[in-house]
Amino acid sequence: MKLHPRHSFSLQSLLKSGFSPTPTSIATFLRYLHRRQKFNTILHIYSQLDYNKLPINHTIHSLVSSSLLNLNRYEDAGRFIATQISKSSLFPKIHILDSLIHGLDDPDKALSLLHQNGAFPSPSTLSSLIHKFVSKGEMEKAVEVLEMITNKKVNNFVSSAVVSEFCKIGKPELALGFFETALNSEALSPNVVTYTTIVTALCQLGKADEVRDLVKRLEEDESFEFDCVFYTNWIHGYLKGGALMDALMLDTRMVEKGINRDAVSYSILIDLFSKEGRFEKAFGLLGKMIKEGVEPSLITYTAIMRGLCRKGRLEEAFALFDRVLSMGMDVDEFVYVTLIDGVCRKGDLDRAFALLGDMEQRGVKPSVLTYNVVINGLCRAGRVSEADEISKGVLGDVVTYSTLLDSYIKEGDVDAVLEVRRRFVEASIPMDLVMCNVLLKAFLFVGAYGEARVLYRAMPEMDLTPDAVTYSTMIDGCCKTGQIEEALEVFDELRKSSVSSSSSVCYNRIICALCEKGMFETAMEVLTEMCDKGLYLDINTSHTLLHSVHASGGEKGILGLVSRLEQLSSNIPLAMFNDAILLLCKRGSFDAAVEVYMVMRRKGLTVTCLSTFLKALVDNLRALDAYSLVVKTLPSMDVIDYTIIVDGLCKEGFLTKALDLCTFAKQRGVILNIITYNALIHGLCQQGCLVEALRLFDSLEKIGLVPSHVTYGILIDSLCKEGLFLDAETFLESMVTKGLVPNILIYNSMIDGYCKLGRTEDAVNVLTRKMMGRVTPDAFTVSSLIKGYSKKGDMEEALRVFAEFKGKNISADFLGFLYLIKGLCTKGRMEEARSVLREMLVSEPVVELINRVDAELVESESVRVFLVELCEQGRVPQAVKILEEISSTFYLSSGKKKSGSYQRLQLLNDVGEKEVEKEGYVNDFHSLHSTVSSLCSSGKLKQANEFVMSVLSFMPK
């Protein structure tokens, strides 16, 4: 078949031949070409029509626009359509614009076209354009398109996407605003999908409870049905807000409504129980899920693995991982990240690297997320340099560099910090707030305070808002370098910020810095503001401020601070009041401590240091003050507190007050125990009221109290001191009969009592018959026997006891050695006395006691050295005199104290002449001796000396 040559089409040749086409005939011909998809031919014909200025109707324009769009020439189509719209109102805008906008990849160009020509495509196309902007995260432009839709309906899917994207970028308030705008303009007819996204927005704003009201309104519409996705979003919102029980109750409600859980809802619950460590519940749900035919996803299994890893149950996590692999599921990077993080937390970095290798073998490519976990694990293990090396082979992100920087700062490696910072700048990675804070910390660490300040000031330009960490970092850095004015400037900016109400750290730090600079007035102003805002006062800050104020102004300064705090209407720092009481007690300012206590009682504050406060008063012989506070202010006290005061009153001789306090405690419903009654019995015995003590003992059984070994010990000791050994023996037998085992103190009381009266045979009888096999003798036992034999002048027996027990590694105590040496000296056996003295001066307990004397006599030569010299020179009598002085310093007189002597035992720091005369010590030697002995036994030698000198000044010359 012969092919005829094809002639090219030319409109000009047709016109020259007399052909005169109409716009309708041309449009018909172009439509035919369009159906045959001859788009280039259509464009060629149009160009000739335009060149020859032939009439063209809107149909031809439409076909040309469509041809350009079909040829993907969107830019040309956009220009052509814009030109035609401006020329003719007959241009078929909506159809062509729909095609153009759907065809344009760049939604910005589509929006520009709409703005330029004032033309509007169909609502569905506008919805599509909104969706494109939302997908790119350009929410402002999405809203701009929405505002163009007046009296037009928005696709529900698009509306839901807009709300969802706002939630994803952390702006749920805009999501709700978008929804309300669309709803109010009647551009939206929301369905369950739309409302599901609204639930997400409300939950993000912490308004999960408001969903209840929304649901209640929607339930009034019987045609509206909620689905599993709706409830799952709501449950997830509750969980994010920490409302665990609400979430579980809502899940139950969903199931009761006949709505079956899907894979997502099951996974959320399984994740919840895994995080809580309730793995039995998690695995139970997994089993139920499978039984109901809902196939668990990789996310479901990963949730359980993550929970196991966080609880350190790695082997179980790996067992589940193997199970997932055996099911043929394709694992992803996040599964590996979960396991790698778990082994890194355990410090098993070798296993972490093995997992990295396994990832590559399975074709799972690790991203920066995986490497960041490994880098963090290495840094936690102190292997920062290794982490740094790994980071150099990875395209790191802001987390990579912030982790390295923070770790190098902790290691104190300045050069490394500067190098990582250089790499971060070169990488041109957008900075987030965490990285900014780490960089500020790094600058301050290397001493680049100027750069830190520049970075801090540049934060607004980077669209970064300082948080509490930012402010605390800057304030701390300025404070450490003594730049208190700059610290106060940053602090003032914090106070004006939105995070000031949660910046306790900053307030605490600035208070400490002000104290270091001696700016106490400003520090107290900051403290007052801190309390007004209800911020937490750190215990260290409290201590720093109190100690600084006390160092500057003493107890008056503390009382001034307390007075200012008393004016606060709320959020009073309770801990500071209690700390003030403890500090004042420690400094001996008990009257001021009582004032602070009274302020607390007036304000209705809880005195948490009450027991310590009362004990401090009692220990400093101010039991009467403690008694008055209790009776007047009626604090909440337990039996221990009452017992402390009762014991103090008894020791100071105020037996009547002690008994009154016991009655007071009973009236307040406090049940006194045997320890309280032991204190009373001991007080009666010390005051010589043995009969009353025995009567009190007899009454114990009537009130349901069982005497303890301490009770028996007190009475046996007192009976022995009174020489009533038969009664003491009776008590001892009664004690044993009741199943109580006498301790060494009780036996020593009997042995010492017999020895004092020279009844050494009875003392030995107690030792050999009663003690044997029950308790082991101690140094006091040995010393009592030595004392007894020495008093009788039987030095042979005294030496025998000394040698016998020394052979059993039981040495005499200080008094035992002294009795033995004195006894030998009395018999003229000086060499033996000298030998015992030599042993005494190397005995550890004796040396320790003598060293205490040396500590009191700071400016004098060593007493022990002097005693050794006397011993070597054979001057034993002189050594004995010094030893007796030491004895009188550390051991109370064995004489019985008169009633009322204890109440004279006060701290005599400021003993005046009138006080001495008033007490009448000049004519009462026994009271004088008792007071001096007590002061000496407490180690208060200086006060004892001053007291004696004051008394002597009143004696007749």
Side-chain angles (χ1 to χ4, degrees):
M1 183 172 62
K2 186 176 179 180
L3 295 174
H4 297 281
R6 183 179 179 183
H7 300 284
S8 61
F9 174 79
S10 172
L11 183 61
Q12 279 186 325
S13 61
L14 287 174
L15 292 172
K16 287 179 181 180
S17 65
F19 178 68
S20 182
T22 64
T24 303
S25 62
I26 293 173
T28 302
F29 178 58
L30 291 180
R31 270 201 292 274
Y32 166 75
L33 292 174
H34 193 276
R35 285 196 298 272
R36 299 291 298 273
Q37 298 185 1
K38 303 294 184 179
F39 304 122
N40 283 317
T41 303
I42 292 172
L43 296 179
H44 176 68
I45 293 173
Y46 175 77
S47 65
Q48 292 187 40
L49 290 171
D50 187 54
Y51 178 77
N52 289 285
K53 297 186 173 20
L54 293 176
I56 301 172
N57 61 21
H58 64 274
T59 304
I60 295 171
H61 285 141
S62 177
L63 289 167
V64 172
S65 301
S66 179
S67 297
L68 287 168
L69 292 171
N70 278 294
L71 291 170
N72 296 325
R73 292 170 60 179
Y74 297 108
E75 300 289 339
D76 293 335
R79 285 191 293 271
F80 178 78
I81 291 169
T83 302
Q84 299 312 316
I85 288 174
S86 64
K87 288 180 179 180
S88 173
S89 61
L90 297 175
F91 187 80
K93 306 172 187 176
I94 294 178
H95 174 68
I96 297 300
L97 282 176
D98 284 351
S99 299
L100 177 59
I101 290 172
H102 282 297
L104 287 172
D105 291 327
D106 188 353
D108 287 304
K109 290 180 180 178
L111 181 60
S112 176
L113 181 67
L114 296 180
H115 279 307
Q116 286 173 12
N117 301 289
F120 295 98
S122 65
S124 63
T125 301
L126 286 172
S127 297
S128 173
L129 185 57
I130 290 171
H131 185 259
K132 286 182 180 180
F133 279 122
V134 169
S135 299
K136 292 177 66 177
E138 298 179 3
M139 305 307 295
E140 291 180 3
K141 292 178 181 177
V143 174
E144 192 176 336
V145 177
L146 175 69
E147 290 173 349
M148 294 180 179
I149 306 175
T150 308
N151 298 322
K152 296 179 177 68
K153 295 293 182 182
V154 184
N155 183 286
N156 278 314
F157 173 76
V158 175
S159 175
S160 302
V162 173
V163 173
S164 178
E165 289 300 321
F166 271 129
C167 292
K168 284 180 182 177
I169 64 173
K171 295 183 177 179
E173 67 283 356
L174 294 182
L176 292 176
F178 175 92
F179 174 75
E180 289 171 5
T181 301
L183 202 61
N184 294 334
S185 65
E186 298 183 353
L188 174 67
S189 296
N191 58 15
V192 69
V193 176
T194 317
Y195 280 116
T196 299
T197 57
I198 293 301
V199 168
T200 302
L202 287 169
C203 290
Q204 279 194 358
L205 289 169
K207 298 178 178 179
D209 286 338
E210 290 187 18
V211 180
R212 286 199 187 100
D213 299 330
L214 174 64
V215 170
K216 189 176 180 180
R217 290 199 308 271
L218 293 175
E219 283 179 336
E220 292 175 0
D221 182 358
E222 295 181 359
S223 63
F224 200 95
E225 293 184 3
F226 299 106
D227 58 12
C228 179
V229 179
F230 181 91
Y231 276 104
T232 300
N233 266 28
W234 192 3
I235 290 167
H236 187 250
Y238 271 133
L239 291 176
K240 287 190 75 173
L244 174 62
M245 292 309 298
D246 287 328
L248 293 176
M249 288 171 65
L250 186 58
D251 174 72
T252 304
R253 176 182 171 185
M254 180 185 79
V255 174
E256 287 175 350
K257 282 181 172 286
I259 302 173
N260 294 325
R261 300 190 188 102
D262 60 9
V264 175
S265 57
Y266 265 116
S267 296
I268 287 175
L269 290 176
I270 287 171
D271 181 55
L272 161 67
F273 290 119
S274 297
K275 284 177 180 176
E276 294 284 317
R278 296 164 65 181
F279 297 107
E280 287 184 9
K281 191 75 175 174
F283 279 109
L285 279 172
L286 180 64
K288 186 177 181 182
M289 180 181 185
I290 296 170
K291 187 177 179 181
E292 290 180 358
V294 181
E295 187 176 348
S297 67
L298 184 61
I299 294 172
T300 314
Y301 290 108
T302 304
I304 300 177
M305 282 186 260
R306 184 168 61 246
L308 289 168
C309 286
R310 286 180 177 175
K311 295 296 181 182
R313 297 166 64 168
L314 293 180
E315 297 313 314
E316 293 173 73
F318 276 94
L320 184 58
F321 176 66
D322 292 337
R323 176 181 166 185
V324 169
L325 294 176
S326 67
M327 290 188 294
M329 294 182 74
D330 291 328
V331 292
D332 60 11
E333 182 188 15
F334 192 70
V335 177
Y336 278 103
V337 168
T338 298
L339 295 173
I340 290 171
D341 182 58
V343 296
C344 284
R345 287 173 184 271
K346 281 284 188 178
D348 191 352
L349 292 164
D350 292 337
R351 201 169 187 181
F353 286 113
L355 283 167
L356 273 176
D358 190 56
M359 283 181 75
E360 294 176 2
Q361 288 179 4
R362 295 185 183 278
V364 181
K365 188 177 180 181
S367 69
V368 68
L369 175 66
T370 305
Y371 286 110
N372 280 343
V373 172
V374 176
I375 288 168
N376 188 45
L378 287 167
C379 289
R380 275 203 303 243
R383 296 161 62 176
V384 187
S385 57
E386 291 180 58
D388 201 353
E389 285 301 313
I390 290 176
S391 73
K392 291 175 182 177
V394 179
L395 188 61
D397 61 7
V398 69
V399 177
T400 315
Y401 290 103
S402 60
T403 302
L404 290 171
L405 271 178
D406 191 54
S407 299
Y408 276 130
I409 290 170
K410 289 175 181 176
E411 285 197 346
D413 194 333
V414 177
D415 294 335
V417 167
L418 294 173
E419 173 60 20
V420 173
R421 184 244 175 181
R422 181 193 64 75
R423 285 170 51 200
F424 174 72
V425 173
E426 286 183 356
S428 299
I429 299 171
M431 190 181 303
D432 64 4
L433 184 57
V434 174
M435 185 62 184
C436 183
N437 288 337
V438 174
L439 265 180
L440 286 173
K441 190 176 178 181
F443 283 138
L444 294 168
F445 169 70
V446 300
Y449 306 108
E451 291 191 56
R453 189 171 180 80
V454 169
L455 176 59
Y456 170 70
R457 293 300 174 196
M459 288 181 71
E461 297 173 15
M462 295 184 285
D463 199 24
L464 296 177
T465 304
D467 62 1
V469 176
T470 314
Y471 288 117
S472 64
T473 301
M474 287 299 296
I475 290 171
D476 187 58
C478 293
C479 290
K480 283 180 178 176
T481 56
Q483 301 177 65
I484 190 66
E485 294 301 325
E486 291 191 22
L488 286 171
E489 182 182 340
V490 176
F491 177 70
D492 194 50
E493 292 169 8
L494 161 71
R495 294 167 64 201
K496 298 172 184 175
S497 73
S498 60
V499 298
S500 63
S501 59
S502 60
S503 300
S504 298
V505 174
C506 300
Y507 276 85
N508 282 288
R509 185 65 185 90
I510 203 73
I511 289 172
C512 291
L514 290 167
C515 288
E516 289 170 10
K517 289 290 183 180
M519 301 169 68
F520 306 120
E521 187 62 31
T522 307
M524 285 191 276
E525 289 177 9
V526 174
L527 174 65
T528 304
E529 180 179 312
M530 184 180 184
C531 294
D532 284 335
K533 290 189 173 185
L535 297 176
Y536 171 71
L537 178 65
D538 185 79
I539 187 170
N540 293 325
T541 307
S542 175
H543 289 171
T544 299
L545 182 56
L546 286 170
H547 282 80
S548 299
V549 170
H550 188 273
S552 173
E555 63 179 59
K556 288 184 178 179
I558 296 292
L559 291 175
L561 173 59
V562 169
S563 178
R564 291 185 65 160
L565 294 176
E566 187 182 3
Q567 306 308 313
L568 293 172
S569 57
S570 61
N571 300 317
I572 297 175
L574 176 64
M576 178 164 272
F577 279 90
N578 285 286
D579 289 342
I581 290 175
L582 295 175
L583 175 62
L584 291 168
C585 287
K586 192 174 180 180
R587 296 289 188 269
S589 303
F590 295 103
D591 291 332
V594 171
E595 284 189 48
V596 177
Y597 172 82
M598 296 306 292
V599 169
M600 292 185 72
R601 295 300 297 174
R602 283 198 301 272
K603 297 289 288 185
L605 301 176
T606 304
V607 185
T608 58
C609 65
L610 181 61
S611 296
T612 307
F613 178 37
L614 295 175
K615 190 174 185 304
L617 289 173
V618 170
D619 288 345
N620 286 271
L621 306 178
R622 300 185 61 145
L624 272 181
D625 289 333
Y627 170 82
S628 298
L629 287 177
V630 171
V631 174
K632 291 178 182 177
T633 63
L634 308 177
S636 177
M637 290 170 41
D638 58 19
V639 65
I640 297 174
D641 297 326
Y642 280 107
T643 301
I644 289 172
I645 303 174
V646 167
D647 186 55
L649 290 168
C650 289
K651 286 178 179 177
E652 291 183 43
F654 301 109
L655 285 171
T656 303
K657 297 289 186 186
L659 292 168
D660 289 344
L661 186 59
C662 287
T663 303
F664 178 81
K666 290 177 185 176
Q667 290 172 349
R668 302 206 67 193
V670 177
I671 301 173
L672 303 179
N673 57 27
I674 190 61
I675 300 174
T676 317
Y677 283 97
N678 284 343
L680 286 171
I681 291 170
H682 186 255
L684 289 167
C685 291
Q686 289 285 0
Q687 295 297 311
C689 305
L690 183 55
V691 175
E692 288 79 1
L694 291 171
R695 285 177 181 167
L696 185 56
F697 174 82
D698 290 337
S699 69
L700 291 179
E701 290 187 7
K702 296 177 184 178
I703 57 176
L705 288 177
V706 179
S708 65
H709 67 278
V710 174
T711 320
Y712 282 101
I714 293 169
L715 290 171
I716 289 172
D717 181 65
S718 298
L719 289 168
C720 290
K721 284 176 179 176
E722 295 291 335
L724 303 171
F725 293 105
L726 287 176
D727 293 320
E729 294 271 5
T730 302
F731 266 94
L732 183 64
E733 290 172 5
S734 173
M735 181 181 182
V736 173
T737 301
K738 292 184 179 180
L740 296 173
V741 180
N743 57 29
I744 187 63
L745 297 175
I746 293 174
Y747 286 116
N748 280 343
S749 294
M750 299 189 71
I751 291 171
D752 190 55
Y754 279 125
C755 289
K756 282 178 180 176
L757 297 178
R759 296 169 60 176
T760 51
E761 293 84 1
D762 292 321
V764 171
N765 183 51
V766 173
L767 176 65
T768 56
R769 294 183 60 186
K770 298 185 185 296
M771 282 179 60
M772 199 60 65
R774 293 183 178 178
V775 292
T776 303
D778 61 7
F780 188 87
T781 316
V782 177
S783 299
S784 295
L785 289 170
I786 291 173
K787 176 175 65 176
Y789 284 118
S790 297
K791 279 191 174 185
K792 291 173 65 175
D794 191 350
M795 299 313 299
E796 295 301 326
E797 277 300 308
L799 285 169
R800 183 191 64 76
V801 169
F802 177 75
E804 179 185 337
F805 282 98
K806 188 172 72 171
K808 297 177 182 178
N809 290 322
I810 303 174
S811 178
D813 61 14
F814 182 92
L815 291 176
F817 276 109
L818 183 56
Y819 291 139
L820 187 57
I821 294 168
K822 286 171 66 176
L824 291 169
C825 287
T826 303
K827 294 291 185 178
R829 300 163 67 169
M830 303 306 294
E831 241 355 270
E832 289 175 281
R834 183 181 178 187
S835 176
V836 174
L837 177 60
R838 193 175 286 116
E839 283 191 52
M840 179 182 185
L841 295 176
V842 296
S843 171
E844 188 175 332
V846 173
V847 171
E848 184 180 336
L849 189 65
I850 294 174
N851 287 341
R852 286 170 61 188
V853 177
D854 283 338
E856 292 281 347
L857 306 172
V858 180
E859 298 178 359
S860 304
E861 65 175 305
S862 170
V863 174
R864 181 170 176 273
V865 172
F866 185 50
L867 285 169
V868 170
E869 288 178 2
L870 290 175
C871 182
E872 293 306 317
Q873 294 170 10
R875 299 166 62 187
V876 178
Q878 289 85 346
V880 168
K881 288 184 179 180
I882 294 174
L883 292 172
E884 285 180 329
E885 288 293 328
I886 295 173
S887 173
S888 65
T889 299
F890 288 101
Y891 295 94
L892 288 170
S893 170
S894 60
K896 186 172 68 176
K897 296 173 179 57
K898 279 190 179 180
S899 175
S901 63
Y902 271 99
Q903 65 192 52
R904 299 189 178 96
L905 304 181
Q906 306 293 330
L907 284 175
L908 301 171
N909 293 321
D910 301 303
V911 178
E913 291 181 357
K914 290 183 179 179
E915 289 177 298
V916 172
E917 190 173 27
K918 182 179 178 182
E919 289 290 344
Y921 284 101
V922 176
N923 300 314
D924 187 352
F925 177 76
H926 192 91
S927 297
L928 171 65
H929 182 272
S930 173
T931 303
V932 173
S933 295
S934 296
L935 288 168
C936 290
S937 66
S938 302
K940 298 180 175 66
L941 302 181
K942 184 178 178 182
Q943 291 98 317
N945 189 47
E946 291 176 355
F947 176 63
V948 170
M949 295 303 295
S950 298
V951 174
L952 289 175
S953 66
F954 279 86
M955 286 187 174
K957 300 231 179 69

